Amino acid sequence: MLSEKAIKQVDEIIARYPAKRSAVMPALYIAQMEFGWLTPEAIEAVSEATGVPKATVKGVATFYAMYKHKPIGRHLIQLCTNVSCMIFGAERLVDIIKNKYGLEAGGTTADGRFSLVIMECIGACGTAPAMLVDTDFHENLTEENIVKILENYK
Amino acid sequence: MITVTINGKDIKLEKPVTILEAARTAGIEIPTLCYHESLELYGGCRLCLVEVEKMPKLQTACTLYVTDGMVVRTESEQIADARRGILEFLLINHPLDCPYCDKAGECDLQDLVEKYGPTAGRFAEGKRKHPESFDDPIIVRNMERCVMCTRCVRMCDGVQGDSAIAVTNRGSHSFIEPFSGGRYNCEYCGNCLTVCPVGAIMSRLHRHSYRAWLVETEVNTVCSYCGVGCSMVIQVRNNSINRVVPRFGLGINNGLLCVRGRFGYDYVGNEQRIKSPLVKKGGKLEPVTWNEAFNTVADRLKALRERYGGSALAGIASGRCTNEENYVFQKLMRCGLGTNNIDSSARLGYSGAQRYLENIFGQGVTANPIYGIANSEAILIVGGDPTAINPILGLQIRTASRNGARVITIGYAPGLERFNSIGLKPRIFTEGILLSGILCEILKIKPFTGENQTLESVIKGLSLRPAREIAEICRLAEDDIRKAAEAICNVSSISIVIGQDIIQRSNGNRNLFMLSSIGYMLNARMTLLSERPNEQGTIDMGCLPDMLPGGRPLEIETFRKRYEGLAGTEIPSGPGLTLMEMVEAAEAGQIKAMYIMGENPVFNLPDSNAVKKALGSLEFLVVQDIFLSETAKIADVVLPALAWSEKEGTYTNLERRMQHVRRAVDIQGMEDWRIISEIGKRLEVSMPYNSSEDIMAEMVRVSPLHTGLTYEDVDKGNALWPYKGEPLRAEMPSLSLSDENIIADKGKLYLMVRRPLFHSGTLSRRSYALNNICSEPYLRISRAVAERLSVKDGDVLKVSTVKGSLQVKTKVDISLNDSAVLLTNNFEGMGAFSLLGYKLDPVTKAPGIEGTEVTIEKGKPR
Ligand code: SF4
Ligand code: SF4
Ligand code: SF4
Ligand code: FES
Ligand code: FES
């Protein structure tokens, strides 16, 4: 079940639309924050909170790549390697993360601290290379500052 | 008028339809795969592509509506190319395992590729692997064969309304899956199986046991499970049932079935079927010849009649037997044994309630077409979950809801929770009070019409409580009661659907009165849910203690004389005992012998342990059944009958439509009517029948309702209420209304009977399929109760009432009221009726089940 606070949030979202199922996607996002990833329980919780059948909710959830379908680390690194970021050396940053934390793209560190996802442009081409850690935005990354930034996330 | 030209042929149409439909009316074939006439349009497969003049690209015929002057071509080089290309794509990941696939021979993909497809594919990369899933006991999923037409999903979402499956994942990785990814845990209607054009979802029951083209005979018949009476086709090979399928365009169910109808038929082949007549010798049932059995029954019944008189004998007829059999049964009881002690399990709700409503509104008031429910603008549902009790009728309510009807449920109806506009869950046992509150609100809006003065004067004489007080008693919001009343007041077509739970109260007649009054004020159609395929037939055939065939009251001399004249025997003039009264009289030693046909009272009646004792004390008990039921086990003579698929006859469904039940397989044995005739002859009753049709011919002379009706009429669908006969017209008798009866719940728990989708009892628990779908009973408790006892799904609880106790697993049910716990009455040794006492409703004579306090505590794991 979702927390009371989350259920309230979902109810507010439902109230914005004529049909309840419009709330499924934002509700999945809320559930993902509560459960860490979209566990079967999280999907069931969304189904219960929105009144949309659980198979349907699962269908929606599995359609979109940006929902998490397996456990992720405490902190999620979303690093861009698309054109601008690549030109400014994002590939090197991937290597640094790999060497420093033993973290492969798409993987999670053994201690469950970080997960790494490679992104296709996160809209920061002007200040490339860039990454998101959880919901924090970090731009103008360099081989020097990336580890320092990551070290702030325990 | 629209004119459209397809392949050079001018087609005139009244209103716009799709190109596909227009072509079909003119006999022009366009291939389709994702299209299905019963499903929402989708336009996903692109096989129906056609050329439309002035449109640059090919168009999908199944979704494009015609306009005046449109010119369409359905065959051309370009179209053939496109179709070939699509089929090539569809086969990229297909395992091409037709030789091994059960669908071969009736597979749309196979047919299409054969007709339009490429002879070889060009795709050299490997195929996607998706192992066949055997996680479910009934449905096997092979997603490598799936063509993503989404017909199954549209069926489950848009027609069945269970939304149990969905397209999961995306693009070439998509597949169809239930939520669990393994077992379906759905309503198991199997309707997705019917619409799947390929072998991607199939039934395991007949896996690899037949080929579509090897089916030898197909028999059109009617389902044996409930009062809806769905049409079905039994496919037979080697004198055994291969499978049961529905047909679009056939019957009330039009291509749909529910789980019981589709998968539950296999009880007929269960090896526990009794094969030979049994007579108790030295305390043990021993096989004997038919002749010995017949003589024993006739001799013993004759002797007991001579000794104690006909009033000491009683018979229970069956809503599972045909009209013909029930007719012969009442004839045996009345003419052969001289008793009117005849009733059936319809007494548990259906028959008493129908009589009550007919007394007010006239005979035939509940004879409303089931499809009318889907067209209603508002539906009030009380006393049961139609989606479980009469599933196909339940679908009509879901359809109505999708079409914008206001659906109001009162009480526990989990299957309608996503479909109701207002769901009222009054405190337990206060449904009747809530109804009076709704009536009170309606009276504020609607004026009396003066049509039925007698009824109006009773309504006026009621002292109805204001909504505020009702809300307090029922623990509901006052506003909701008002809204519910308003919702059903302001529309022109209303259906009221009534289930047993509201009838099985010691003051059930009061509930029925409130419903009648609401129905009267709103001019609503009434429907009674019916758990057996032929409950209506037991009534119409005169298997009632006070009614002769055709619903003619026994006490009216002209009717009785007419009956006696045709039968050539006198019959007792006073009414006999009703079902529960018979049992009580047996216990009191007044009834000495009973003849029970196709019914299992020792299990199916409330306070079943007491029933067992009562029937056990009889001097002579005859049970005619297909299984050695709990009742048969204590009988003196057991007569093995034939099952529904092994005999001919008719059933009358809950809308009073007569339908033909046909023999699909030939089994050694005797139909119920033949057995009774043999005994009847030995008791000097005239029973000159060679077929069920002969019985029908006699019946239509005796029943003023069925005058001149023939099997041909039944087959043509002309056997609808009031058949060819005369309904009885009578003055509304004066009503005596039971008092309100508020049971203080004092924070206690009460045990109620759950009527589940997957089981019906004696038959369903001998179905391999239904037992695999649902293999054991659960005690359903509310979330609050679960928290209070700190138990979770699957924990074993001990349930006790004054009548006894059981250990049973639990399941949390979020639809449930906090003071009710539910248990089914379908599993041997685990029936709710062994824990429940009853109190008769003085008017309907249905057993009232109420105030059944229960304690539950954690039990020991079994
Ligand atoms: S069997 Fe019926 S309820 Fe189950 S998935 Fe298929 S259509 Fe849906
Ligand atoms: S399982 Fe059958 S009905 Fe469902 S999408 Fe696949 S091919 Fe179509
Ligand atoms: S709704 Fe009733 S008649 Fe129809 S298939 Fe189900 S059990 Fe049989
Ligand atoms: S390319 Fe990296 S942010 Fe746009
Ligand atoms: S049948 Fe028209 S697109 Fe599938």
Side-chain angles (χ1 to χ4, degrees):
Chain A
M1 266 208 285
L2 291 172
S3 69
E4 246 166 69
K5 184 171 143 251
I7 289 177
K8 238 182 102 209
Q9 277 176 308
V10 174
D11 285 341
E12 276 163 24
I13 297 166
I14 290 173
R16 282 184 219 154
Y17 304 101
K20 281 183 165 188
R21 56 161 200 252
S22 309
V24 167
M25 292 185 57
L28 279 169
Y29 194 67
I30 292 169
Q32 181 167 293
M33 309 258 263
E34 291 222 330
F35 288 79
W37 59 286
L38 289 183
T39 59
E41 294 72 33
I43 291 177
E44 275 184 283
V46 169
S47 165
E48 203 179 305
T50 57
V52 175
K54 52 191 181 181
T56 315
V57 175
K58 184 177 172 188
V60 173
T62 54
F63 184 87
Y64 293 99
M66 284 167 76
Y67 290 121
K68 306 293 169 257
H69 293 285
K70 52 182 190 196
I72 56 165
R74 287 193 299 285
H75 302 290
L76 174 66
I77 309 168
Q78 303 187 74
L79 180 69
C80 175
T81 61
N82 212 312
V83 184
S84 308
C85 295
M86 179 193 68
I87 293 170
F88 282 86
E91 307 279 0
R92 266 300 293 151
L93 302 179
V94 176
D95 290 343
I96 290 175
I97 292 176
K98 183 175 170 189
N99 293 337
K100 169 83 188 166
Y101 300 107
L103 181 56
E104 298 271 0
T108 300
T109 55
D111 59 359
R113 182 174 169 197
F114 288 121
S115 291
L116 174 63
V117 172
I118 301 299
M119 303 296 286
E120 305 297 343
C121 190
I122 53 177
C125 311
T127 48
M131 70 173 174
L132 272 162
V133 181
D134 301 335
T135 51
D136 306 336
F137 211 69
H138 299 284
E139 45 204 353
N140 295 318
L141 299 176
T142 62
E143 290 175 31
E144 290 72 41
N145 69 8
I146 185 156
V147 173
K148 220 157 82 206
I149 293 172
L150 288 176
E151 278 308 295
N152 292 327
Y153 297 89
K154 293 295 169 193
Chain B
M1 184 67 86
I2 299 166
T3 308
V4 38
T5 312
I6 305 184
N7 297 352
K9 196 165 171 182
D10 283 349
I11 300 164
K12 301 217 178 296
L13 297 156
E14 291 290 340
K15 48 180 203 268
V17 295
T18 61
I19 296 178
L20 180 69
E21 286 166 294
R24 285 194 177 166
T25 59
I28 298 168
E29 253 321 292
I30 299 176
T32 57
L33 191 54
C34 70
Y35 172 83
H36 193 286
E37 64 267 29
S38 296
L39 304 174
E40 210 180 311
L41 293 181
Y42 178 57
C45 75
R46 323 303 283 178
L47 264 166
C48 64
L49 290 177
V50 292
E51 286 177 18
V52 180
E53 252 176 34
K54 303 200 184 85
M55 291 185 143
K57 284 193 204 157
L58 297 180
Q59 299 294 320
T60 45
C62 70
T63 56
L64 188 67
Y65 278 76
V66 296
T67 51
D68 195 30
M70 192 181 252
V71 179
V72 181
R73 257 181 308 280
T74 70
E75 303 287 338
S76 74
E77 203 33 58
Q78 191 194 7
I79 294 171
D81 229 32
R83 285 182 189 148
R84 204 174 314 119
I86 291 158
L87 289 164
E88 188 177 348
F89 272 123
L90 287 179
L91 294 181
I92 283 178
N93 281 317
H94 190 284
L96 303 175
D97 57 350
C98 300
Y100 168 81
C101 174
D102 274 353
K103 193 79 176 186
E106 52 178 8
C107 172
D108 288 357
L109 183 65
Q110 197 179 44
D111 294 348
L112 287 166
V113 172
E114 196 260 330
K115 197 158 171 201
Y116 301 98
T119 44
R122 287 165 289 178
F123 196 73
E125 288 79 352
K127 288 182 189 274
R128 174 184 81 156
K129 286 282 155 236
H130 199 116
E132 198 160 22
S133 160
F134 292 98
D135 295 322
D136 194 83
I138 305 297
I139 303 175
V140 52
R141 244 169 348 106
N142 184 327
M143 281 303 127
E144 293 177 358
R145 295 184 189 138
C146 173
V147 292
M148 275 300 140
C149 64
T150 74
R151 270 156 66 150
C152 55
V153 178
R154 283 177 284 147
M155 172 55 85
C156 194
D157 267 347
V159 179
Q160 179 66 21
D162 197 30
S163 300
I165 46 177
V167 179
T168 309
N169 263 320
R170 181 172 41 165
S172 63
H173 298 287
S174 13
F175 46 83
I176 308 293
E177 217 178 55
F179 174 74
S180 72
R183 262 189 89 113
Y184 272 68
N185 295 326
C186 62
E187 291 178 341
Y188 284 98
C189 63
N191 292 326
C192 52
L193 272 56
T194 313
V195 292
C196 180
V198 301
I201 33 176
M202 303 202 74
S203 161
R204 291 181 72 175
L205 299 181
H206 39 74
R207 189 173 161 83
H208 298 331
S209 71
Y210 76 105
R211 291 276 147 192
W213 61 89
L214 290 180
V215 167
E216 283 163 4
T217 29
E218 291 201 330
V219 180
N220 279 2
T221 189
V222 180
C223 173
S224 69
Y225 270 106
C226 89
V228 173
C230 292
S231 295
M232 49 170 58
V233 176
I234 302 184
Q235 296 185 328
V236 184
R237 188 175 171 219
N238 287 340
N239 206 24
S240 83
I241 301 181
N242 264 345
R243 63 173 176 178
V244 160
V245 291
R247 283 277 150 83
F248 289 92
L250 183 71
I252 351 176
N253 48 321
N254 186 24
L256 308 175
L257 282 177
C258 81
V259 56
R260 299 194 292 259
R262 184 182 303 263
F263 298 123
Y265 59 86
D266 59 350
Y267 70 86
V268 299
N270 188 302
E271 59 205 34
Q272 292 172 29
R273 286 282 296 271
I274 331 169
K275 288 170 192 92
S276 143
L278 307 170
V279 170
K280 193 167 271 169
K281 291 181 176 167
K284 258 189 77 196
L285 285 167
E286 303 283 357
V288 296
T289 61
W290 277 107
N291 207 25
E292 182 179 344
F294 292 146
N295 290 337
T296 312
V297 174
D299 293 348
R300 290 285 282 137
L301 289 177
K302 198 188 241 162
L304 287 163
R305 180 185 177 181
E306 271 155 25
R307 177 134 175 241
Y308 299 108
S311 64
L313 311 178
I316 300 178
S318 172
R320 297 207 175 282
C321 289
T322 62
N323 284 321
E324 291 75 359
E325 290 162 341
N326 282 306
Y327 171 81
V328 177
F329 186 78
Q330 62 82 36
K331 188 172 177 188
L332 173 75
M333 297 313 292
R334 291 203 160 101
C335 305
L337 303 178
T339 180
N340 281 319
N341 295 331
I342 313 161
D343 208 358
S344 75
S345 66
R347 180 64 59 186
L348 297 178
Y350 190 82
S351 63
Q354 182 169 79
R355 171 74 64 79
Y356 192 89
L357 300 177
E358 292 193 338
N359 278 341
I360 296 177
F361 298 103
Q363 208 185 4
V365 58
T366 60
N368 297 305
I370 289 173
Y371 64 75
I373 295 174
N375 300 327
S376 303
E377 290 168 58
I379 308 170
L380 176 66
I381 298 123
V382 198
D385 184 349
T387 64
I389 301 165
N390 290 128
I392 294 294
L393 185 151
L395 293 194
Q396 301 278 330
I397 300 174
R398 289 179 177 170
T399 305
S401 154
R402 276 190 216 99
N403 295 342
R406 282 172 257 184
V407 174
I408 293 149
T409 55
I410 294 183
Y412 180 77
L416 290 173
E417 261 174 22
R418 281 190 295 108
F419 298 88
N420 58 12
S421 24
I422 302 178
L424 297 172
K425 287 188 196 157
R427 182 161 69 85
I428 193 165
F429 307 126
T430 63
E431 300 89 343
I433 296 174
L434 171 57
L435 288 173
S436 73
I438 293 177
L439 176 63
C440 181
E441 293 301 309
I442 292 173
L443 292 174
K444 288 184 194 158
I445 308 172
K446 289 266 175 175
F448 284 109
T449 57
E451 208 174 296
N452 186 336
Q453 307 266 357
T454 327
L455 178 62
E456 288 187 5
S457 71
V458 188
I459 299 177
K460 285 174 192 155
L462 293 169
S463 55
L464 294 168
R465 302 162 197 270
R468 186 179 34 81
E469 217 174 293
I470 303 264
E472 210 167 286
I473 297 171
C474 301
R475 294 206 195 105
L476 292 168
E478 193 182 330
D479 210 34
D480 282 349
I481 301 177
R482 209 163 281 138
K483 275 196 208 139
E486 281 161 16
I488 47 177
C489 262
N490 301 323
V491 292
S492 55
S493 74
I494 303 143
S495 291
I496 299 181
V497 177
I498 306 166
Q500 278 189 18
D501 287 347
I502 192 123
I503 306 165
Q504 290 181 348
R505 295 278 194 273
S506 65
N507 65 348
N509 64 80
R510 191 180 176 89
N511 297 341
L512 287 166
F513 178 79
M514 295 302 161
L515 283 164
S516 303
S517 306
I518 293 173
Y520 172 73
M521 295 306 296
L522 303 178
N523 197 12
R525 287 184 294 258
M526 313 248 211
T527 295
L528 284 169
L529 298 180
S530 165
E531 292 188 357
R532 309 269 152 117
N534 200 27
E535 282 187 307
Q536 185 62 51
T538 62
I539 298 175
D540 294 347
M541 295 303 114
C543 291
L544 289 174
D546 53 353
M547 286 278 184
L548 297 171
R552 294 315 199 246
L554 174 81
E555 72 236 40
I556 300 182
E557 206 180 333
T558 43
F559 295 133
R560 197 173 62 247
K561 287 275 170 278
R562 185 166 173 272
Y563 181 92
E564 289 175 339
L566 288 161
T569 335
E570 269 185 35
I571 60 169
S573 57
L577 300 175
T578 61
L579 182 64
M580 299 311 294
E581 289 169 336
M582 287 179 199
V583 174
E584 285 164 16
E587 195 177 6
Q590 287 143 7
I591 294 277
K592 304 289 185 188
M594 266 201 206
Y595 193 141
I596 299 173
M597 170 175 81
E599 194 41 78
N600 184 10
V602 164
F603 190 75
N604 288 340
L605 298 189
D607 205 356
S608 47
N609 293 324
V611 175
K612 183 172 181 184
K613 218 173 114 230
L615 299 195
S617 71
L618 290 170
E619 286 189 29
F620 190 57
L621 174 63
V622 187
V623 174
Q624 186 169 309
D625 208 325
I626 64 172
F627 292 113
L628 200 64
S629 67
E630 285 85 346
T631 312
K633 279 183 191 149
I634 62 165
D636 298 287
V637 179
V638 179
L639 302 167
L642 291 184
W644 127 99
S645 56
E646 298 154 2
K647 61 188 180 187
E648 294 276 327
T650 57
Y651 282 160
T652 306
N653 77 352
L654 59 82
E655 47 173 21
R656 305 191 82 159
R657 178 194 301 264
M658 287 173 82
Q659 304 192 99
H660 201 155
V661 181
R662 290 188 179 83
R663 177 188 290 110
V665 289
D666 229 339
I667 300 284
Q668 284 268 315
M670 276 200 217
E671 295 96 334
D672 289 270
W673 63 261
R674 222 181 271 276
I675 299 172
I676 300 162
S677 308
E678 286 299 327
I679 293 165
K681 283 176 201 160
R682 287 168 173 78
L683 293 168
E684 280 131 47
V685 188
S686 138
M687 297 208 167
Y689 320 120
N690 289 316
S691 68
S692 62
E693 216 168 344
D694 291 346
I695 302 169
M696 174 90 154
E698 176 179 316
M699 185 277 283
V700 302
R701 283 198 304 278
V702 175
S703 159
L705 204 52
H706 301 83
T707 315
L709 199 76
T710 62
Y711 271 21
E712 209 188 320
D713 296 319
V714 174
D715 289 343
K716 283 192 180 143
N718 294 338
L720 296 174
W721 173 264
Y723 317 108
K724 293 182 169 177
E726 281 287 308
L728 184 68
R729 310 223 177 275
E731 287 283 293
M732 178 178 153
S734 66
L735 294 173
S736 65
L737 206 57
S738 290
D739 291 337
E740 242 173 32
N741 172 13
I742 303 181
I743 295 166
D745 65 351
K746 296 175 260 157
K748 294 198 173 111
L749 290 173
Y750 296 87
L751 177 62
M752 300 299 298
V753 191
R754 173 164 180 263
R755 304 175 204 282
L757 172 62
F758 299 129
H759 281 284
S760 69
T762 314
L763 300 185
S764 73
R765 68 177 125 102
R766 288 168 174 99
S767 156
Y768 166 87
L770 297 178
N771 269 332
N772 270 281
I773 291 171
C774 171
S775 55
E776 53 182 340
Y778 286 93
L779 184 78
R780 299 199 160 231
I781 60 177
S782 73
R783 198 174 260 170
V785 173
E787 270 161 24
R788 192 161 78 222
L789 295 168
S790 60
V791 291
K792 55 177 186 330
D793 280 1
D795 287 356
V796 175
L797 291 179
K798 185 169 173 225
V799 206
S800 324
T801 67
V802 287
K803 300 279 174 192
S805 74
L806 286 178
Q807 302 248 2
V808 60
K809 281 191 192 160
T810 188
K811 205 171 234 166
V812 177
D813 186 335
I814 54 173
S815 306
L816 203 56
N817 197 310
D818 283 345
S819 41
V821 301
L822 300 181
L823 183 62
T824 61
N825 193 62
N826 302 114
F827 291 94
E828 200 164 358
M830 302 294 277
F833 278 159
S834 65
L835 300 180
L836 291 172
Y838 69 92
K839 210 162 122 200
L840 276 195
D841 178 320
V843 181
T844 68
K845 300 292 172 81
I849 295 163
E850 62 194 11
T852 47
E853 256 176 70
V854 67
T855 52
I856 56 182
E857 55 199 315
K858 284 195 199 175
K860 288 185 224 79
R862 268 184 278 145

